[in-house]
Amino acid sequence: MSHIGKYRKSINMLLLLGWLMALATTAQANMRFYSIVQQVCKSYRVPVGLEQMKLEELESDNPTFHMVLQSRRNNFEEVMLVGYIASSQAIARTGLGIKTIMITVTIPKSDNMMLMTTADVGLVEQLRLGKIKSSEFMRKLQWT
């Protein structure tokens, strides 16, 4: 017993260090995911910040990515498509097991009207790969 007690402090420190490393790895994966989304959105001139993105329940059965974008006048469909394409691109590059993507677009000229949509990753992947047209994709979205 005294033999284990001698190394108890070292074991506790190793466990704590391992736990902190696991948290840091998750945070880094999220930051990489967020930065890819930001890069793709920026290339389409759609601004998005870290505070507008949220990854939820990565360890659950239905991990979800939420993003809020702002539309300019009447181009809400274009902004929404950019959000889905950016999300799909980030999923493809990082390998995160996200199942559902939720994009909310606010339209400031219409008293901050909000359009909320949800799509399964499989549908978004078809859009990214060009297997379906954007008009067909928009019809298959779940609108709330």
Side-chain angles (χ1 to χ4, degrees):
M1 181 88 164
S2 64
H3 186 61
I4 294 174
K6 184 177 177 182
Y7 298 104
R8 187 175 197 181
K9 188 174 182 180
S10 298
I11 292 171
N12 286 340
M13 289 299 291
L14 286 174
L15 287 173
L16 179 64
L17 182 62
W19 185 71
L20 289 174
M21 291 293 286
L23 287 177
T25 303
T26 303
Q28 285 177 344
N30 293 351
M31 288 306 297
R32 183 168 179 247
F33 183 88
Y34 292 157
S35 69
I36 292 170
V37 170
Q38 284 181 312
Q39 289 170 0
V40 174
C41 285
K42 185 179 178 181
S43 70
Y44 286 99
R45 293 187 175 95
V46 175
V48 64
L50 290 176
E51 65 280 352
Q52 296 167 296
M53 296 182 273
K54 184 166 74 169
L55 279 168
E56 286 186 353
E57 305 170 2
L58 285 176
E59 275 70 27
S60 74
D61 292 341
N62 191 21
T64 305
F65 175 65
H66 296 267
M67 184 163 51
V68 178
L69 299 172
Q70 188 170 0
S71 174
R72 299 175 302 269
R73 287 202 181 190
N74 59 357
N75 72 338
F76 66 90
E77 287 181 343
E78 177 187 338
V79 171
M80 192 175 294
L81 284 169
V82 168
Y84 279 111
I85 290 170
S87 304
S88 178
Q89 193 70 264
I91 291 168
R93 290 185 190 174
T94 60
L96 288 178
I98 297 170
K99 301 285 185 215
T100 307
I101 301 171
M102 299 177 74
I103 303 291
T104 302
V105 176
T106 59
I107 305 171
K109 298 293 183 183
S110 299
D111 296 326
N112 285 327
M113 183 172 83
M114 297 177 78
L115 300 171
M116 300 171 73
T117 59
T118 305
D120 183 65
V121 170
L123 179 64
V124 180
E125 184 68 11
Q126 289 178 354
L127 175 68
R128 184 180 74 86
L129 296 175
K131 293 181 179 178
I132 61 172
K133 294 181 180 182
S134 59
S135 57
E136 183 181 349
F137 175 78
M138 293 299 283
R139 283 193 303 271
K140 291 183 176 185
L141 285 177
Q142 295 176 8
W143 296 77
T144 25

